[in-house]
Amino acid sequence: NAGVTQTPKFRVLKTGQSMTLLCAQDMNHEYMYWYRQDPGMGLRLIHYSVGEGTTAKGEVPDGYNVSRLKKQNFLLGLESAAPSQTSVYFCASSWSGTPYEQYFGPGTRLTVT
Amino acid sequence: GQQLNQSPQSMFIQEGEDVSMNCTSSSIFNTWLWYKQDPGEGPVLLIALYKAGELTSNGRLTAQFGITRKDSFLNISASIPSDVGIYFCAGPGGSNYKLTFGKGTLLTVNP
């Protein structure tokens, strides 16, 4: 049981480049989430999904897109990276019966220069 | 949106000491959660509280759901070096499924 995995672990992008972060979970959870963590800001929700084929905006969605084509995967895309998107990105998942008991992945550290 | 205030922001303690930290909300919560984040890792759920007044333990950790439903407390007894990390409180973010996190309490334990 790997839990929640994220790829890649580290990435450096130049301004304007695009990339996709992949999150996978093997717990058959219905709900999945993408957060970003910045120093002094705690964790902020970017987008979330309550099921395959559905996504919704969180607290800080601008500049990001997501897709949930398969129940176990949740992709986060940056179409045109900006330095303000330098952050650590965490994916999480939860069972629908206890949505707030979220299981987090190890994170992706992204630097945009 | 919901605001969670955690205090203290950081703590430096000696191994073996007890630790207390708390979290307050600008509005009433029906759920409180405490997470711990080790350096370079994702947060891990420690305790979930679902009822006002509830007191729940997980090993040396004890958390309480405040009676007013606007606060929660986390205590760690007999701290050890592996307790080092950032402790976050969290609660429902104003609608189903979403969590709002506090900014965390950074705990350092001197052996």
Side-chain angles (χ1 to χ4, degrees), chain B residues 9-57:
Chain B
Q9 286 187 327
S10 62
M11 304 180 73
F12 297 85
I13 62 170
Q14 293 295 126
E15 183 177 358
E17 289 183 354
D18 297 342
V19 173
S20 292
M21 59 189 79
N22 67 75
C23 191
T24 59
S25 167
S26 57
S27 55
I28 290 174
F29 277 9
N30 55 26
T31 303
W32 282 97
L33 305 105
W34 286 92
Y35 286 82
K36 182 196 176 195
Q37 185 175 25
D38 289 332
E41 301 290 331
V44 173
L45 179 65
L46 298 173
I47 294 176
L49 303 160
Y50 291 99
K51 187 177 177 182
E54 180 181 355
L55 190 69
T56 297
S57 293

Side-chain angles (χ1 to χ4, degrees), chain A residues 23-65:
Chain A
C23 175
Q25 53 95 4
D26 61 3
M27 296 173 282
N28 203 33
H29 285 166
E30 296 90 345
Y31 299 168
M32 296 187 74
Y33 316 81
W34 276 106
Y35 292 89
R36 61 178 288 173
Q37 185 175 36
D38 303 294
M41 298 294 293
L43 288 129
R44 294 182 292 169
L45 183 66
I46 304 172
H47 285 281
Y48 65 101
S49 168
V50 299
E52 185 178 318
T54 71
T55 62
K57 293 180 180 179
E59 184 184 352
V60 288
D62 293 342
Y64 305 95
N65 56 75

Side-chain angles (χ1 to χ4, degrees), chain A residues 78-101:
Chain A
L78 286 71
E79 289 187 349
S80 179
S84 61
Q85 294 177 304
T86 293
S87 187
V88 182
Y89 292 86
F90 289 100
C91 176
S93 70
S94 66
W95 178 53
S96 59
T98 53
Y100 305 120
E101 296 183 20

